[in-house]
Amino acid sequence: MRALTKTLVCATTAIGIAVGGLATAGPGVAAETRPAASAEVSPLAVVNLGLTAEEAKKVQRVLRDDWQYTGKIDGQLGTGSWQALQRFLKKNWDYKDKIDGKVGPNTVMALQRWLKAKWGYKGEIDGDPGSGTRAAFKRMANACPNC
């Protein structure tokens, strides 16, 4: 009988704590269940494809001088950098998608065409920014004469 009484007391106590905790929960508890940030305020994605900040700055300088990049030369290839790179790829390397700054498969395929023709990329034009694409992108950045 004592064991049953202890079990009931423990269960009742646990239920009381849970109910009391929920009853006194304020807006702080409710806020914890919401996402931390909405899509409208999330930071822009940075996709350096293996470049160091210094290498990315070299690319940004060329994009600023020749492809209407107006952002900071900060070594972070974000949306603005990729929009400028997409303008270059659209004019010269058969990029046919939107100028949206997103590094999707179409952007990568156009980049791969350029890297294959000029910077020693030997892989497939497949839209996958794997190690071969990254290595050729790095070669391009380090060979840039005006950066």
Side-chain angles (χ1 to χ4, degrees):
M1 185 73 167
R2 279 189 186 187
L4 180 60
T5 303
K6 280 185 179 180
T7 303
L8 289 174
V9 170
C10 288
T12 304
T13 303
I15 291 170
I17 290 170
V19 170
L22 290 175
T24 60
V29 173
E32 291 178 39
T33 62
R34 291 186 307 219
S38 69
E40 295 84 34
V41 295
S42 28
L44 298 175
V46 172
V47 183
N48 278 17
L49 289 184
L51 299 185
T52 66
E54 287 308 310
E55 291 164 338
K57 284 179 185 180
K58 292 176 184 183
V59 172
Q60 286 176 317
R61 286 185 195 103
V62 171
L63 295 173
R64 175 197 60 204
D65 295 345
D66 299 328
W67 297 101
Q68 304 160 5
Y69 174 63
T70 58
K72 293 180 182 177
I73 305 298
D74 60 2
Q76 302 294 308
L77 299 181
T79 302
S81 299
W82 282 101
Q83 285 172 325
L85 197 51
Q86 286 170 334
R87 283 190 283 278
F88 163 74
L89 295 169
K90 186 170 212 119
K91 181 167 182 171
N92 298 292
W93 298 102
D94 203 29
Y95 175 69
K96 294 182 178 166
D97 214 339
K98 295 181 220 168
I99 304 296
D100 59 6
K102 295 178 183 173
V103 188
N106 292 332
T107 300
V108 174
M109 285 190 291
L111 179 66
Q112 288 171 329
R113 283 190 282 279
W114 176 46
L115 296 173
K116 188 167 226 163
K118 303 287 185 181
W119 300 104
Y121 174 63
K122 296 187 185 324
E124 297 294 320
I125 307 300
D126 59 5
D128 178 11
S131 60
T133 302
R134 291 168 185 261
F137 196 44
K138 189 176 272 289
R139 275 192 297 281
M140 179 280 303
N142 286 315
C144 182
N146 302 324
C147 306

